[in-house]
Amino acid sequence: MADYTQMWTDLGLNHDNHNALLDNLGQAYQSIFMTQENRPEGMSYFDFVMSEAHGLRIQELREEQEAGRKIIGSFCVFVPEEIILAAGCTAVGLCAGADFAQEEVEKVLPRNTCSLIKSFFGFKLGKVCPYMEVSDMIVGENTCDGKKKSFEVFKEMVPNFYQMDLPQTKTPMARHMLKQEFKSFVEKLEEMTGKRITIEDLKQGIATVNAKRQALRRLSMLRAADPAPISGLDALLINQIAFLDNPIRFTEKVNAICDELELLIKETKGAKKAKAPRVLISGCPMAIPNWKLPSIIESTGAVIVGEESCIGERGQRNLTDDSADSLEGLMNAIVDRYLKIDCAVFTPNQERVNHIKEMSQQYNADGVIHYGLQFCQPYIMESFSVEKELEKQNISVLRLETDYSQEDMGQLSTRVEAFVEIIK
Amino acid sequence: MRVAGIDIGSRSIELIVLEDGQVVHSKQAESGYNPIERVKELISDVSFDKIMATGYGRGIVEVAFDYPTVTEIKAYGAGATALYPGVRSVLDIGGQDTKVISINEMGKVVKFEMNDKCAAGTGKFLEMMATSLGYQAQTLGAAAQKGTEGIEINSMCAVFAESEVTSLLAKGCDRNDIALAIHQSVCRRAIGMIRRQNISTPLMFAGGVANNTCMVQLLKEALGEDIIIPENPQFVGAHGAAILASQYEPTPY
Ligand code: SF4
Ligand code: SF4
């Protein structure tokens, strides 16, 4: 890797902390990803992106910035990438998948806050996330109470915070509200760039994001094969990188690996053995580098065949209709597309259970592991009804609650192993 | 064929050898600080054709001896079914965890729940409370059976429960009454796990705490039906592992 020390200094990162994070990350990546057998060749691109996530990719973003583009960071798949691209800006997901500076975090947040929220506070307080520091604006959304309230604290720590309100239901009123919010977001971006978004801009934005989602969708469908052509860990990694990489290049690379996987399937070759127990994961998003549960699952010999998650199918499933030829019409289509996301902060949220059932059929899953981050009320509350409904259809379910620490590895492994013994 | 099962728990290790389904050898030892040595000692004077390990420490013997392993969930399920065909659920209160396992008509484990994050509701909890009351773990149950109802221990957490016990003693409460309250607290927790899983019966009560007659009595009353207590409740996991050893084939994946 080239020497990026100067760039990191310019961004105001704390070198000691940042080096410690990179070391940990590198080791985890080596032991979790590079030890897998039969990885598709196309993964080498994603390995490369990961190895340069804090280097080359940040350099690219800074070059974009010098050329006048604004970088918009966000924490949730409700922040519309189509609009960001249409405004001539670049979207990055601020991943929050590791504990950092925990003691500092607990000075400003209650202990019983979910790991994801604590993580982005830790990254900010420890000054270790170049994506956060390179962002010209950070968008926080009012989803769960944890995020909503913690943003009140967070916005004092960053100079460029923008809050987006979101509805909690899917009524006509809620739709109206979301549309107003998206319009305000458009205005905010236009004010930042000094340029109006045109119909062509928006169509282009929609096309780019749709292409990315289609590629990810294609990847998902290929995982229905037995033997699975790609490990769940690698597929998750691709979904995680979707939030960091240049969308057009990323789409090409995803399609390229899909071409390769199609050939593998034809030759009935797989990354995992045929007849391996097949697990669907459902629940909270797994941000980089939160690979704990997937690596436990796949180390039992089972294969993860899908993620019903925002970093996964829930976030990428729906496309935006681009047929309208007015700004108003396109905005309506965007609002409709986003309102289909079945996040647990919504009530009622029957669509999500339906999707889990659908996915477990589509990908021939033998069982579903429901992943709840400790203290995440929305998903853990829903996990009970999800379990009940799936069991009614004779789908085995294991509900797990965990966080980013390594303390419960032993207990998690036993539960997961026992579940795999049950479903095989 | 002689098949062996070994259950390496956090507190004790059990070894069983079966010949034609009959127990021909069984032995128990404390896990101590060097469970690998303990396992070596336990197996030094027995012969077997196949062996399988289970329990919390199964990973270390997998590495040290290259034994195939199975989780304690599956082992308890298999052990319970072998000992009492037709059993539909198992409650295991062990030294450091409590689990409830559901078994279907065919003897297959279909669901489980485990409490293993803290001492609450486990044998360890009872042990700590016995110490606070000045009893041995083995005599706590007998003491409780002499107690009368009325006191309630509210803390599930062993540390808080300990201070509750201390303040009850300071108030002059009877030791036996407190011992009973402690058992009722563990029982409530177990019943909670059982109800959440909506189990079918007959239920087998396994693990070391099943030797505690007060606990057995309380559970029966709470469930309103009889429960199965195997002859050697600590050996159910090892027994199951031995049964599974006889069927073992390396996994195809
Ligand atoms: S789970 Fe909900 S809050 Fe989290 S990223 Fe998804 S939509 Fe946003
Ligand atoms: S994991 Fe749950 S609690 Fe945490 S931010 Fe997401 S929705 Fe909120």
Side-chain angles (χ1 to χ4, degrees):
Chain A
M1 193 157 85
D3 186 5
Y4 297 108
T5 319
Q6 189 54 46
M7 177 175 80
W8 292 332
T9 308
D10 295 347
L11 286 170
L13 297 188
N14 175 314
H15 283 295
D16 291 345
N17 287 350
H18 185 241
N19 287 340
L21 180 79
L22 286 189
D23 280 352
N24 272 334
L25 235 145
Q27 277 167 24
Y29 197 78
Q30 272 298 326
S31 69
I32 295 174
F33 285 90
M34 304 314 278
T35 51
Q36 298 180 98
E37 286 166 11
N38 306 320
R39 295 180 83 208
E41 275 168 31
M43 281 313 293
S44 59
Y45 170 74
F46 300 100
D47 288 336
F48 174 72
V49 175
M50 264 314 285
S51 69
E52 289 288 347
H54 282 211
L56 193 55
R57 181 61 189 142
I58 300 297
Q59 191 175 307
E60 283 181 355
L61 290 174
R62 290 189 20 121
E63 282 160 12
E64 288 185 15
Q65 246 169 349
E66 271 159 33
R69 278 180 90 91
K70 303 284 179 200
I71 312 295
I72 313 295
S74 71
F75 302 99
C76 169
V77 297
F78 259 97
V79 178
E81 189 176 355
E82 306 69 342
I83 295 180
I84 295 176
L85 293 179
C89 303
T90 296
V92 292
L94 300 174
C95 46
D99 287 332
F100 207 86
Q102 289 222 61
E103 279 170 31
E104 293 301 306
V105 174
E106 287 183 9
K107 286 183 196 154
V108 294
L109 290 179
R111 274 203 57 209
N112 57 352
T113 307
C114 88
S115 291
L116 199 141
I117 296 173
K118 281 189 186 159
S119 173
F120 67 75
F121 271 75
F123 279 27
K124 182 67 213 176
L125 290 167
K127 299 204 182 73
V128 292
C129 177
Y131 290 89
M132 226 178 247
E133 305 307 328
V134 82
S135 292
D136 293 290
M137 181 165 85
I138 293 180
V139 186
E141 23 49 64
N142 294 343
T143 41
C144 66
D145 283 355
K147 272 201 195 158
K148 189 166 70 190
K149 297 304 285 184
S150 70
F151 286 144
E152 290 174 9
V153 184
F154 190 71
K155 69 170 161 233
E156 303 299 323
M157 300 176 180
V158 291
N160 43 12
F161 189 78
Y162 176 89
Q163 192 146 13
M164 181 182 281
D165 200 12
L166 290 182
Q168 310 210 325
T169 63
K170 303 207 169 155
T171 60
M173 272 300 280
R175 184 180 180 283
H176 178 74
M177 174 201 159
L178 187 63
K179 192 167 165 197
Q180 294 311 312
E181 273 302 322
F182 282 2
K183 279 190 167 167
S184 309
F185 188 53
V186 167
E187 282 164 22
K188 176 71 195 177
L189 291 171
E190 288 179 339
E191 180 197 308
M192 281 178 80
T193 60
K195 186 180 138 271
R196 300 294 296 243
I197 294 178
T198 64
I199 297 181
E200 287 66 42
D201 292 335
L202 207 45
K203 286 217 178 214
Q204 189 53 53
I206 293 174
T208 304
V209 182
N210 274 352
K212 172 160 92 168
R213 290 176 186 141
Q214 262 162 336
L216 286 167
R217 179 95 190 130
R218 186 176 162 210
L219 174 67
S220 301
M221 303 302 284
L222 294 173
R223 295 164 72 189
D226 184 31
I230 183 168
S231 71
L233 273 166
D234 280 338
L236 172 65
L237 184 75
I238 295 175
N239 274 285
Q240 291 173 329
I241 288 175
F243 291 84
L244 302 181
D245 200 6
N246 173 299
I248 295 174
R249 180 177 59 201
F250 174 83
T251 304
E252 274 168 22
K253 297 295 181 183
V254 175
N255 278 319
I257 200 170
C258 287
D259 293 340
E260 182 190 349
L261 299 184
E262 275 168 4
L263 290 178
L264 289 173
I265 293 171
K266 265 197 206 123
E267 300 164 17
T268 55
K269 281 191 189 148
K272 296 277 170 178
K273 304 253 164 64
K275 305 267 180 313
R278 303 168 67 86
V279 173
L280 178 74
I281 295 185
S282 168
C284 293
M286 289 176 181
I288 294 178
N290 177 13
W291 302 306
K292 172 170 135 179
L293 183 60
S295 73
I296 291 177
I297 296 174
E298 296 206 323
S299 68
T300 66
V303 57
I304 300 163
V305 293
E307 299 79 25
E308 191 280 319
S309 159
C310 279
I311 299 179
E313 211 159 312
R314 189 191 313 126
Q316 308 291 353
R317 168 188 302 127
N318 303 301
L319 301 182
T320 303
D321 181 0
D322 63 353
S323 59
D325 38 26
S326 65
L327 272 176
E328 188 68 13
L330 291 172
M331 284 299 282
N332 279 334
I334 293 175
V335 169
D336 289 336
R337 185 268 164 196
Y338 279 83
L339 260 193
K340 282 192 203 134
I341 299 174
D342 41 9
C343 167
V345 300
F346 285 87
T347 184
N349 195 29
Q350 180 62 35
E351 298 89 334
R352 180 166 165 241
V353 187
N354 297 345
H355 271 133
I356 304 173
K357 286 185 207 159
E358 227 176 81
M359 285 179 71
S360 74
Q361 270 180 4
Q362 204 159 38
Y363 305 129
N364 307 310
D366 298 312
V368 175
I369 294 188
H370 191 283
Y371 161 75
L373 266 183
Q374 215 172 11
F375 311 121
C376 168
Q377 235 176 16
Y379 280 94
I380 293 175
M381 284 234 181
E382 266 193 23
S383 72
F384 289 83
S385 55
V386 165
E387 178 181 42
K388 252 203 209 120
E389 287 219 25
L390 294 183
E391 284 182 348
K392 259 192 239 156
Q393 312 234 322
N394 286 323
I395 303 173
S396 295
V397 181
L398 176 67
R399 279 190 298 116
L400 293 177
E401 257 177 65
T402 181
D403 57 16
Y404 292 171
S405 75
Q406 303 295 308
E407 275 163 37
D408 61 351
M409 290 287 284
Q411 290 122 346
L412 276 184
S413 302
T414 299
R415 283 181 169 75
V416 169
E417 263 179 64
F419 184 68
V420 170
E421 286 168 352
I422 288 175
I423 61 172
K424 77 187 178 191
Chain B
M1 186 169 59
R2 283 166 77 96
V3 287
I6 189 159
D7 182 353
I8 301 142
S10 55
R11 308 182 64 77
S12 64
I13 302 177
E14 287 84 22
L15 172 74
I16 265 197
V17 183
L18 302 177
E19 185 152 22
D20 305 324
Q22 296 303 310
V23 179
V24 290
H25 180 92
S26 72
K27 232 202 257 178
Q28 191 176 23
E30 281 191 15
S31 309
Y33 60 88
N34 191 348
I36 294 185
E37 276 308 309
R38 286 304 157 92
V39 172
K40 270 190 197 150
E41 283 161 30
L42 278 173
I43 56 170
S44 60
D45 57 348
V46 293
S47 63
F48 46 80
D49 305 305
K50 281 182 165 184
I51 186 167
M52 185 167 275
T54 186
Y56 169 85
R58 64 189 180 284
I60 49 177
V61 299
E62 185 170 15
V63 177
F65 303 93
D66 201 22
Y67 289 167
T69 63
V70 64
T71 64
E72 44 273 46
I73 315 283
K74 189 166 178 179
Y76 268 85
T81 305
L83 291 164
Y84 290 89
V87 66
R88 294 296 304 280
S89 47
V90 182
L91 165 68
D92 162 47
I93 305 186
Q96 236 154 40
D97 64 21
T98 300
K99 43 187 171 285
V100 174
I101 302 167
S102 287
I103 299 170
N104 69 9
E105 291 92 341
M106 335 255 264
K108 190 176 179 296
V109 174
V110 285
K111 196 153 180 71
F112 64 91
E113 200 172 322
M114 248 177 130
N115 160 47
D116 54 8
K117 288 218 177 75
C118 71
T122 66
K124 179 76 189 163
F125 180 87
L126 286 170
E127 220 173 82
M128 288 171 73
M129 296 309 120
T131 314
S132 324
L133 287 175
Y135 287 119
Q136 297 287 316
Q138 296 85 339
T139 55
L140 188 70
Q145 278 176 317
K146 287 184 232 140
T148 38
E149 277 185 50
I151 300 177
E152 200 168 316
I153 301 281
N154 297 304
S155 309
M156 286 293 183
C157 165
V159 178
F160 291 130
E162 224 167 17
S163 49
E164 253 188 279
V165 166
T166 314
S167 67
L168 286 169
L169 284 172
K171 266 197 258 167
C173 292
D174 185 79
R175 280 207 299 168
N176 296 342
D177 298 352
I178 302 175
L180 177 59
I182 288 163
H183 282 76
Q184 285 170 325
S185 142
V186 174
C187 176
R188 268 199 306 277
R189 202 174 163 95
I191 293 291
M193 278 177 82
I194 288 172
R195 297 259 184 266
R196 263 200 304 283
Q197 217 181 104
N198 215 347
I199 57 149
S200 303
T201 52
L203 168 80
M204 174 188 282
F205 183 16
V209 178
N211 286 318
N212 179 321
T213 46
C214 178
M215 196 61 77
V216 172
Q217 187 58 35
L218 290 175
L219 278 169
K220 272 188 199 167
E221 282 167 20
L223 286 172
E225 64 181 294
D226 214 3
I227 49 184
I228 302 168
I229 313 291
E231 210 172 305
N232 291 304
Q234 309 94 297
F235 281 87
V236 175
H239 198 116
I243 301 277
L244 293 167
S246 65
Q247 305 159 359
Y248 176 74
E249 279 165 41
T251 43
Y253 54 83

